[in-house]
Amino acid sequence: MKAFNRLMLWALLLGLTFIAALNGYVSYRETGTAGKAYRIEINRIYDQAERGIPLEELLPDQNRYTYVKDLSWIGKEAGPEEVQRFFAGIGVGDANEFTVKPLYADQQIAGYLRFSYRMPGPDVHALLVLNLFLLAALGAVMVLLFYIRKQILRPFHTLQELPYELSRGQLSIGMKEHRSRYFGRFVWGLDLLRQTLDAQKETNLRLEKDRQTLIASLSHELKTPVATIRLYASALADGLYDSEVKRQSATRLIGQQAEHMEQLIGGIITASVSSLQNIEVAPGEFYLSGLVGKVIRNHKERLELLKVELTAGAYQDKLLLGDEERLHEVLNNLIENAIKYGDGRSISITFREEDYRQLIVIENSGEPLLLSELPHIFTSFWRGSNADGKPGNGLGLFICKQLLQKMGGDIFAEPLERGMRFVLVLRY
């Protein structure tokens, strides 16, 4: 809207400048034309005087001449004071100009003729009509621009944030009806899309709740076989069975309960990670600078408030292959982990190339994981020894691994002397 407001202001200024320039040009042309015309009239009168026509007949008639208004004569016998007054233009009207020309007789100066003339300006009436027409045209243009601003740009400005909000899952706020003839159906369609997405979101939440209920139910059912196994194992250990038949029966029951537990655990795992296995990525191309800029903008202010130093190394911008939004999720997840499990001092993002692959390295200061824990770091539902008392479900790094592998890349972790390092491998 601000850019269009500036466009309207420039259109107004340029229109007024054009009108002023056109007025100046018309005035200049009229003045130049009049200057030529009055000289023609003076030369015509002067030629007649040289041919001996009496002065009484040369006096300009108002209907005969347009510019010359008066003619004065002074002979050569006039005194100096009279000549001075004559050449000074005494007696010439204030609104007129004058010029003096010598008149010869027998190649001798007989006297001087003084021509009094008026230099008219441009035709005021015509210029007024022209200005009114130009101002009306400029006004029509401004009215058109104002109409576009009010009826098209302003409604569109109110709608431009809606697709972004929908992509973020902000579905609860309905759209106000708009009377714009250009966007009425568009607004209706967007609101219908919002309602559809909101209904789908509610369905997904209900399904997720049902899945969580299933997991809780299966987890609860584990208690029974666990208690049974513990009971039979305790009885076997204490020698409560006096015959080999009873001991074998107890052993078989323990095996049956263990098999039942295995089935329940398999159901829990399937219900927990089935949606993770179905994560989809959209193959595409994106620039490294766009990804890095988005990540830094998202976290810079928050890390400054947390007093965590975020540094980004130099890199050569290039076109990468993969899903930019999914990779953005991966980097966000890694930075969140660095904040959660680091010591809160520093996080760095560096870049390098290796074997025709782009590497993004994220490091954070703090206590590293034990070497014995590294093989499990990308396993679902696994949490390290440094996760005590910290929220989480052990799925973040598992999801990162899944996404990168689906994009043809990978992720690796390695402990530092004072911190952790995660290396992302991307294709280009």
Side-chain angles (χ1 to χ4, degrees):
M1 290 293 287
K2 292 182 179 179
F4 192 80
N5 290 339
R6 288 195 295 269
L7 174 63
M8 293 179 63
L9 179 60
W10 275 109
L12 178 61
L13 293 177
L14 290 175
L16 293 176
T17 303
F18 174 77
I19 293 175
L22 187 61
N23 275 271
Y25 175 75
V26 170
S27 299
Y28 172 78
R29 287 294 304 272
E30 289 289 339
T31 302
T33 303
K36 295 178 181 179
Y38 88 83
R39 284 195 292 269
I40 292 173
E41 291 185 1
I42 290 175
N43 291 335
R44 183 184 302 165
I45 296 172
Y46 184 77
D47 289 340
Q48 293 175 354
E50 283 188 326
R51 291 198 301 269
I53 298 176
L55 288 179
E56 294 78 14
E57 297 180 15
L58 293 177
L59 290 176
D61 184 71
Q62 192 172 19
N63 296 325
R64 184 177 178 187
Y65 297 103
T66 304
Y67 301 102
V68 178
K69 300 300 180 183
D70 194 16
L71 179 65
S72 302
W73 160 263
I74 186 172
K76 64 179 181 178
E77 67 276 5
E81 183 177 355
E82 186 179 358
V83 171
Q84 182 179 5
R85 290 172 56 85
F86 185 86
F87 276 87
I90 303 301
V92 177
D94 294 336
N96 295 341
E97 302 288 338
F98 72 93
T99 185
V100 178
K101 286 193 170 208
L103 188 63
Y104 295 89
D106 299 327
Q107 299 184 350
Q108 298 291 328
I109 294 179
Y112 297 90
L113 286 173
R114 186 175 69 184
F115 299 87
S116 176
Y117 59 90
R118 178 171 294 177
M119 289 288 293
D123 189 342
V124 177
H125 179 72
L127 197 59
L128 178 61
V129 172
L130 176 63
N131 285 330
L132 289 177
F133 174 79
L134 293 176
L135 289 174
L138 179 60
V141 171
M142 296 306 299
V143 169
L144 176 62
L145 291 177
F146 184 79
Y147 178 83
I148 293 174
R149 180 181 182 275
K150 182 178 180 182
Q151 296 296 327
I152 298 178
L153 293 183
R154 182 180 291 176
F156 185 79
H157 182 72
T158 61
L159 300 176
Q160 64 181 1
E161 295 296 329
L162 180 63
Y164 177 70
E165 294 298 329
L166 291 179
S167 68
R168 296 177 57 194
Q170 303 294 334
L171 307 174
S172 58
I173 301 177
M175 294 193 62
K176 296 180 179 179
E177 294 184 1
H178 203 280
R179 297 180 180 178
S180 172
R181 67 181 65 181
Y182 303 103
F183 293 100
R185 188 172 181 82
F186 178 69
V187 172
W188 175 79
L190 282 179
D191 196 55
L192 186 62
L193 173 62
R194 180 196 64 81
Q195 294 176 12
T196 303
L197 291 175
D198 192 32
Q200 185 64 42
K201 181 180 179 180
E202 292 295 329
T203 301
N204 292 338
L205 289 175
R206 186 176 66 255
L207 294 175
E208 181 64 22
K209 184 177 180 180
D210 293 340
R211 192 181 68 170
Q212 291 177 356
T213 303
L214 174 61
I215 293 174
S217 176
L218 293 174
S219 301
H220 181 73
E221 290 183 16
L222 281 173
K223 295 181 179 180
T224 300
V226 168
T228 302
I229 290 174
R230 180 179 297 174
L231 177 62
Y232 284 118
S234 177
L236 289 172
D238 294 337
L240 298 181
Y241 298 108
D242 53 2
S243 67
E244 185 64 23
V245 176
K246 291 183 178 180
R247 285 192 293 271
Q248 291 180 358
S249 176
T251 303
R252 286 195 300 272
L253 289 173
I254 290 175
Q256 292 173 0
Q257 294 300 321
E259 184 179 354
H260 182 47
M261 284 182 59
E262 186 178 0
Q263 294 174 354
L264 293 176
I265 292 172
I268 292 175
I269 294 176
T270 301
S272 299
V273 303
S274 59
S275 60
L276 298 178
Q277 300 292 344
N278 294 328
I279 291 177
E280 295 183 358
V281 297
E285 297 179 342
F286 60 94
Y287 281 100
L288 178 60
S289 58
L291 174 68
V292 176
K294 185 185 298 184
V295 171
I296 292 177
R297 285 193 301 271
N298 287 352
H299 295 279
K300 183 178 180 181
E301 184 175 353
R302 179 189 175 196
L303 292 177
E304 287 177 352
L305 294 175
L306 295 174
K307 308 298 183 184
V308 179
E309 180 184 5
L310 175 64
T311 58
Y315 59 89
Q316 182 180 1
D317 195 16
K318 58 173 61 70
L319 201 62
L320 302 179
L321 301 178
D323 188 333
E324 182 179 7
E325 291 299 324
R326 292 298 192 182
L327 190 55
H328 186 216
E329 294 177 15
V330 170
L331 292 174
N332 285 342
N333 201 335
L334 293 177
I335 292 178
E336 289 295 334
N337 280 357
I339 296 172
K340 186 187 300 184
Y341 302 113
D343 59 6
R345 293 183 180 178
S346 65
I347 300 174
S348 67
I349 306 176
T350 56
F351 309 86
R352 66 174 187 264
E353 296 182 35
E354 186 174 312
D355 295 332
Y356 301 101
R357 292 291 187 269
Q358 175 67 49
L359 305 184
I360 301 179
V361 182
I362 298 179
E363 298 180 2
N364 65 272
S365 57
E367 287 294 330
L369 282 176
L370 300 176
L371 289 176
S372 60
E373 295 179 319
L374 283 181
H376 311 289
I377 192 171
F378 296 108
T379 304
S380 60
F381 303 107
W382 182 89
R383 306 193 73 197
S385 58
N386 60 348
D388 292 341
K390 296 176 181 177
N393 51 24
L395 288 175
L397 293 177
F398 171 76
I399 294 175
C400 292
K401 187 84 168 180
Q402 294 289 320
L403 290 175
L404 284 167
Q405 288 182 345
K406 287 179 180 292
M407 286 187 280
D410 211 340
I411 182 172
F412 304 95
E414 55 184 283
L416 304 174
E417 183 177 353
R418 293 291 301 170
M420 285 294 297
R421 173 186 295 154
F422 292 88
V423 182
L424 282 70
V425 182
L426 303 173
R427 297 184 300 132
Y428 59 80

